[in-house]
Amino acid sequence: MYDDSGLAEGDRPHWAAALTGAGDMGFMLYRSVARPGLGRADLEAILNQARRRNAERGLTGCLHHENGLFFQWLEGPRFTLSRLMERLRDDDRHVGVTVIDQGRLDRRLFGDWQMRHSDSATASLLEWLAGSGHSEADGVRSFLETIR
């Protein structure tokens, strides 16, 4: 569990500072690399666990999996997102967790989804990014909103 109450502001992980408002609504977008050999059954287990836990914690979002990469948008109470990020960094089903964007959110983008899933069979995020001209964060957000 992530608890930064004993740390000075400058000692907190960069993603924690934007997510410590307890009741504020926020979002986090990250990219990671799936561990080698991660199969369809593993992905289904990840989705089922995320949907159950997100419902308990008031989180919604979308997970896109393509070519061994995960892109995940999460939204909900900022403190809850901060705690979840710590657990996600320790999850051995992926490596190289990189926060692309985070901050406050006025309204949910995926309010009807405990955890929406898409993959390249739905649409290719990587092709979208290559042709979009957007920054990675803006491109991923735009892509996920478009394929809803």
Side-chain angles (χ1 to χ4, degrees):
M1 174 169 45
Y2 181 70
D3 177 10
D4 65 4
S5 59
L7 298 177
E9 184 67 32
D11 295 334
R12 293 179 180 171
H14 74 281
W15 49 265
L19 296 173
T20 54
D24 296 335
M25 180 70 67
F27 74 94
M28 176 169 298
L29 174 62
Y30 76 87
R31 170 185 12 91
S32 65
V33 178
R35 73 164 161 75
L38 188 86
R40 185 73 187 161
D42 297 312
L43 186 55
E44 289 298 324
I46 289 169
L47 291 167
N48 289 334
Q49 182 181 33
R51 288 173 179 140
R52 187 183 76 253
R53 287 186 175 168
N54 288 354
E56 294 168 359
R57 293 173 174 88
L59 299 174
T60 55
C62 182
L63 176 68
H64 182 82
H65 180 246
E66 181 175 347
N67 291 354
L69 296 173
F70 287 116
F71 292 86
Q72 186 165 16
W73 173 277
L74 292 162
E75 55 195 22
R78 293 171 69 199
F79 180 75
T80 303
L81 288 172
S82 177
R83 292 177 60 199
L84 175 61
M85 194 63 212
E86 190 67 21
R87 286 204 355 246
L88 288 172
R89 287 187 183 281
D90 293 337
D91 190 327
D92 65 359
R93 297 173 291 191
H94 64 170
V95 297
V97 176
T98 303
V99 175
I100 301 170
D101 200 7
Q102 82 270 323
R104 294 183 189 274
L105 193 64
D106 293 328
R107 65 171 180 81
R108 291 178 187 260
L109 300 180
F110 297 95
D112 295 335
W113 296 93
Q114 298 306 320
M115 184 51 58
R116 185 187 188 290
H117 173 253
S118 65
D119 57 22
S120 59
T122 306
S124 175
L125 170 60
L126 300 179
E127 288 177 16
W128 175 278
L129 289 173
S132 75
H134 289 81
S135 69
E136 184 178 22
D138 290 341
V140 172
R141 181 179 181 158
S142 176
F143 173 83
L144 295 176
E145 286 183 291
T146 300
I147 62 167
R148 291 197 284 170

